[in-house]
Amino acid sequence: MVGLLDNIKDYTLDLDDSQAHVLEAGSGYPTIFLHGAGFTNSAEAWLACIKEGLADSVHVYAIDHVGAGYTSRREGRYEFGFLVDHVREVQDALGFEKTNIVGHSLGGWVGGVLAYESPERVNKLVLAANAGLNVQPPAGVAERAQLPSHDQLAQDLAGIADDEVRAAMLEARKRIVDYPNAAETYDGVGEMFGAIPMRKRYYLTRRLGRIKAPTLLIYGENDLHVPSPEGRKVMHEGIKGSQMVVMPDTGHSMITERPREVAKMISDFLNG
């Protein structure tokens, strides 16, 4: 029997001064998927959507952010611009002038800034539960990373219904926790996210009117994180011609809560 991971290529790209971890699946127009923030988060966050048919009609390149997952850690201070330029570096390393960009949470913030800074690099844009609209950092975002036990990791993933996806994500998170200096590195990332000057500099709202790529916005009705209902309106009205879907009975983590519906929405939009 062919398992989930048998259909996914897992490899590392060499970039100018770092490396990038990539999960590749499917065929068709190249689409880079960006995950949310969190010490144990990585490209594997998209596994549930991949299993639920995302790669049937989309060429998926799910990547780790700088300082996350198994992608190279940087010494010294982190800057938000590193995350955005990391996506361009991956595009270059893969040989793509332009790709679709799909981002969840932090990944949506990065994707939005990329579409503003480099419109020629973005074909279509999907932002799911995107961050980037609040100057004040959410509670806990800048707290020092604590190394969870493997049992704690399993408890955190208990809500994922699919056994195969849950097992693959658990294995990935165990590897991240065991990565050398993982917690110390993420402290630098968390400090960046908590810095109000950085958040003001990369505030997404003022950039929205200059995003020209066809855009799909996906939000959870019960999302208690970001953005607020007012923020969703700002996004929808700010990006001219954007489509917006608010999923009922859904929270912030829709890519694992409702992966089949999210995969279909993304696929239909990108192929429409």
Side-chain angles (χ1 to χ4, degrees):
M1 182 177 178
V2 177
L4 169 65
L5 299 182
D6 294 324
N7 293 319
I8 298 176
K9 299 177 184 177
D10 186 335
Y11 56 90
T12 300
L13 288 172
D14 290 321
L15 307 179
D16 287 345
D17 66 343
S18 62
Q19 294 180 317
H21 172 235
V22 181
L23 297 179
E24 179 185 352
S27 60
Y29 195 88
T31 303
I32 292 178
F33 287 77
L34 307 173
H35 63 82
F39 172 45
T40 57
N41 220 344
S42 68
E44 276 78 7
W46 291 100
L47 286 177
C49 287
I50 292 173
K51 181 166 184 180
E52 292 295 348
L54 184 61
D56 292 348
S57 58
V58 175
H59 199 153
V60 175
Y61 294 87
I63 69 172
D64 294 344
H65 291 297
V66 173
Y70 322 127
T71 287
S72 299
R73 269 57 173 167
R74 288 176 177 264
E75 295 183 2
R77 186 177 179 85
Y78 276 76
E79 299 289 345
F80 193 86
F82 295 166
L83 279 70
V84 181
D85 196 48
H86 181 67
V87 182
R88 287 186 288 255
E89 283 196 86
V90 169
Q91 289 176 315
D92 292 342
L94 292 170
F96 301 136
E97 287 293 323
K98 178 183 285 192
T99 66
N100 297 321
I101 298 292
V102 180
H104 174 250
S105 195
L106 167 66
W109 188 0
V110 173
V113 174
L114 176 69
Y116 163 82
E117 289 184 349
S118 301
E120 75 283 358
R121 307 301 302 263
V122 181
N123 180 52
K124 289 186 176 183
L125 179 67
V126 180
L127 306 180
N130 62 276
L133 297 180
N134 50 322
V135 172
Q136 291 295 327
V141 73
E143 290 181 358
R144 295 183 64 84
Q146 301 295 320
L147 283 176
S149 68
H150 288 186
D151 286 342
Q152 287 174 311
L153 292 174
Q155 292 173 11
D156 290 343
L157 296 172
I160 295 179
D162 188 284
D163 291 342
E164 187 179 25
V165 170
R166 187 171 61 254
M169 290 183 69
L170 177 58
E171 184 58 32
R173 293 188 175 199
K174 287 178 179 178
R175 287 171 58 194
I176 292 167
V177 167
D178 295 339
Y179 195 99
N181 300 318
E184 292 83 355
T185 301
Y186 197 79
D187 285 341
V189 177
E191 180 182 352
M192 173 192 70
F193 290 148
I196 291 178
M198 181 284 292
R199 301 181 74 87
K200 288 182 177 179
R201 174 68 183 85
Y202 288 97
Y203 193 52
L204 199 53
T205 304
R206 73 172 180 84
R207 294 170 161 83
L208 298 178
R210 295 188 179 274
I211 294 177
K212 304 305 181 185
T215 302
L216 172 65
L217 306 170
I218 307 174
Y219 300 116
E221 180 185 38
N222 301 335
D223 190 345
L224 299 179
H225 297 279
V226 291
S228 66
E230 294 76 14
R232 300 170 200 163
K233 182 179 179 181
V234 168
M235 291 293 299
H236 187 35
E237 293 180 352
I239 303 177
K240 301 304 181 185
S242 62
Q243 302 175 34
M244 183 172 73
V245 177
V246 179
M247 302 179 69
D249 302 318
T250 306
H252 187 69
S253 301
M254 72 271 290
I255 64 174
T256 52
E257 289 179 50
R258 307 275 295 278
R260 181 172 300 175
E261 294 95 325
V262 171
K264 186 177 188 306
M265 280 190 284
I266 292 173
S267 179
D268 288 349
F269 175 73
L270 295 181
N271 291 293

